[in-house]
């Protein structure tokens, strides 16, 4: 049986497509549009990054109802993420991982070949673009190159990142529609950027022993998978990412916390819906989910929204593998929650004839 990791990707893609995200997009068709730079701030935020290093957070002021952040000082500039203090739906945007931002150069979207990492260097934090190491990335042997820096470290841990000259922010577009995805953009080619930073270029990756990735993804381990197209679509929509080694691991069991994250990100990817996902909590709703766990905020949000529940002993068991029944229950509750947010009631209308299964009679 195929693992639920692939199945959830497929079902979430189907749900998101049905609920309004354009179908059939491929990464090469994404364009970009200029934005007002003053409406955004790039932040080196504490914790959550690779190996515990700071993570990149991008905050956008979408409306002027309330300030999304405050600033104090210079070199470094300390950021107060005010959006964490109120329901910022429709007022602020917040991106904290590759689902919300990526790199773009003269060649177009380069998010499959490069990710971001913030590193401590000589009393400041430097934002680097780091090449992915999968065999078909022609830039895999290049050195990481700097994109921005903080000029120090703020006392509260939230420090503004100033982009290097020639870099700016733009937004992703598809078929004339502006999407929420933010690009860190340079008009230079990757080759010229890498060469300017002294890194080697691999023009032709050449033959290798690893299978070629399925078109539309950067994952070498989904080639031939029954859900390969759906996985590619999930990556393109922007609510699923792979692991640090650029694998997707489609047959690895899906955990309860991973399911929560994937479903909430799928909902938040819809243009007509902003669910204001938090990125941190002070207390946890479950005794086995500490407040500093990467999934704590999403689990608490999903619990309060009625999308997931814990166990009678007060635990959530975040690393426990998900069953097929649990997956369906979570997807159904998420669909009901979405309709509720849009003032459409909670009734789910069937889209196909119901199927009866021989082994579900009497099951919860």
């Amino acid at each position: 049986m195929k693992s639920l990791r692939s199945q959830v990707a497929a079902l979430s893609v189907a749900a998101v497509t049905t609920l309004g995200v354009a179908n059939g997009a491929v990464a090469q068709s994404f364009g970009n549009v200029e934005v007002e730079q003053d409406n955004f701030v790039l932040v080196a935020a504490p914790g959550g990054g690779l190996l515990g290093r700071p993570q990149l957070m991008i905050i956008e002021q979408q409306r002027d109802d309330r300030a999304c952040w405050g600033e104090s000082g210079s070199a470094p500039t300390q950021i107060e993420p005010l959006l964490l203090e109120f329901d910022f739906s429709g007022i602020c945007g917040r991106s904290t991982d590759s689902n919300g931002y990526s790199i773009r150069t003269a060649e177009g979207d380069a998010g499959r070949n490069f990710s971001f990492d913030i590193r401590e260097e000589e009393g400041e934090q430097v934002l680097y673009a780091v090449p992915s190491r999968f065999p078909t990335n022609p830039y895999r042997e290049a050195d990481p190159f700097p994109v921005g820096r903080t000029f120090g470290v703020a006392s509260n841990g939230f420090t503004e990142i100033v982009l290097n000259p020639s870099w700016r922010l733009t937004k992703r577009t598809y078929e004339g529609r502006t999407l929420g995805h933010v690009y860190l953009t340079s008009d230079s080619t990757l080759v010229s950027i890498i060469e300017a930073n002294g890194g080697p270029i691999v023009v032709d990756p050449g033959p290798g022993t690893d299978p070629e990735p399925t078109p539309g993804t950067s994952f070498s381990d989904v080639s031939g998978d029954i859900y390969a197209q759906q996985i590619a679509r999930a990556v393109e929509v922007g609510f699923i990412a792979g692991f640090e080694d650029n694998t997707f691991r489609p047959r690895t069991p899906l955990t309860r916390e991973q399911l929560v994250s994937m479903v909430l990100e799928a909902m938040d990817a819809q243009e007509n819906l902003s669910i204001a996902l938090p990125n941190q909590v002070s207390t946890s709703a479950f005794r086995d989910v500490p407040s500093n766990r990467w999934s704590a905020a999403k689990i608490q949000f999903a619990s309060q929204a009625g999308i997931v529940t814990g166990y009678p002993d007060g635990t959530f068991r975040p690393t426990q593998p998900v069953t097929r029944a649990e997956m369906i229950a979570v997807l159904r509750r998420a669909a009901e929650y979405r309709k509720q947010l849009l003032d459409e009631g909670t009734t789910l209308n069937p889209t196909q004839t119901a199927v009866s299964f021989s082994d579900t009679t009497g099951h919860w």
Side-chain angles (χ1 to χ4, degrees):
M1 182 184 73
K2 293 288 182 180
S3 85
L4 291 187
R5 182 173 173 80
S6 294
Q7 293 180 8
V8 171
L11 286 172
S12 298
V13 165
V16 171
T17 300
T18 300
L19 298 176
V21 174
N23 190 23
V26 292
Q28 288 81 353
S29 66
F30 288 135
N32 69 318
V33 64
E34 299 298 326
V35 298
E36 180 59 52
Q37 303 296 302
D38 290 342
N39 290 339
F40 297 81
V41 66
L42 279 69
V43 185
L50 184 64
L51 301 178
R53 289 195 288 266
Q55 66 175 6
L56 172 61
M57 177 169 64
I58 301 178
I59 304 175
E60 177 187 4
Q61 187 80 49
Q62 298 172 339
R63 290 204 321 255
D64 294 332
D65 303 41
R66 297 183 64 173
C68 298
W69 74 88
E71 300 181 5
S72 60
S74 61
T77 298
Q78 178 169 297
I79 300 298
E80 299 292 341
L82 302 177
L83 80 171
L84 300 179
E85 301 173 2
F86 61 93
D87 181 357
F88 62 79
S89 304
I91 302 173
C92 312
R94 177 184 54 82
S95 302
T96 58
D97 55 32
S98 59
N99 293 320
Y101 50 69
S102 60
I103 187 173
R104 186 179 181 91
T105 62
E107 296 92 344
D109 191 321
R112 295 174 184 168
N113 293 335
F114 287 84
S115 59
F116 292 112
D117 185 29
I118 297 176
R119 303 179 179 182
E120 302 273 357
E121 291 185 358
E122 299 180 355
E124 68 173 341
Q125 295 164 333
V126 181
L127 176 64
Y128 279 94
V130 181
S132 303
R133 296 300 182 183
F134 61 88
T136 54
N137 179 8
Y139 311 102
R140 67 185 185 276
E141 299 299 330
D143 293 331
F145 55 83
V147 175
R149 54 190 299 190
T150 63
F151 300 96
V153 179
S155 60
N156 71 344
F158 291 89
T159 314
E160 180 182 13
I161 298 173
V162 179
L163 289 176
N164 291 345
S166 81
W167 289 90
R168 68 188 188 283
L169 300 181
T170 63
K171 274 198 169 182
R172 175 182 282 174
T173 62
Y174 177 71
E175 294 187 342
R177 297 186 303 117
T178 300
L179 307 181
H181 192 93
V182 178
Y183 285 127
L184 279 70
T185 303
S186 172
D187 292 328
S188 300
T189 65
L190 276 169
V191 169
S192 64
I193 294 171
I194 294 170
E195 287 181 338
N197 286 275
I201 303 295
V202 178
V203 177
D204 181 3
T209 57
D210 292 328
E212 289 291 312
T214 299
T217 76
S218 60
F219 308 121
S220 62
D221 59 346
V222 301
S223 181
D225 191 279
I226 189 174
Y227 296 117
Q229 290 185 342
Q230 288 85 351
I231 293 170
R233 177 68 184 132
V235 174
E236 289 161 1
V237 170
F239 65 83
I240 287 179
F243 293 89
E244 290 83 355
D245 60 356
N246 294 296
T247 61
F248 184 78
R249 308 177 193 175
R251 293 171 179 79
T252 299
L254 186 74
T255 66
R256 285 168 57 83
E257 64 183 347
Q258 289 173 335
L259 173 62
V260 168
S261 179
M262 292 166 69
V263 170
L264 290 184
E265 292 290 354
M267 293 177 64
D268 203 37
Q270 300 168 45
E271 285 197 332
N272 62 341
L273 184 69
S274 177
I275 58 176
L277 289 178
N279 67 348
Q280 60 183 21
V281 291
S282 57
T283 60
S284 176
F286 302 98
R287 61 183 177 86
D288 61 341
V289 183
S291 60
N292 62 350
R293 188 175 182 84
W294 71 268
S295 59
K298 289 180 178 178
I299 290 173
Q300 185 177 83
F301 180 96
S303 175
Q304 293 172 343
I307 297 174
V308 298
T309 58
Y311 291 90
D313 62 358
T315 64
F316 184 77
R317 306 175 194 175
T319 61
Q320 179 173 290
V322 176
T323 67
R324 289 167 62 88
E326 289 175 327
M327 175 189 69
I328 292 300
V330 169
L331 291 174
R332 176 181 62 80
R333 293 171 188 157
E336 292 172 342
Y337 178 68
R338 175 194 178 276
K339 289 178 68 70
Q340 181 181 353
L341 290 179
L342 297 176
D343 294 324
E344 297 176 355
T346 58
T347 301
L348 302 179
N349 299 317
T351 58
Q352 61 185 31
T353 304
V355 177
S356 297
F357 299 100
S358 61
D359 57 349
T360 60
T361 302
H363 193 276
W364 64 265

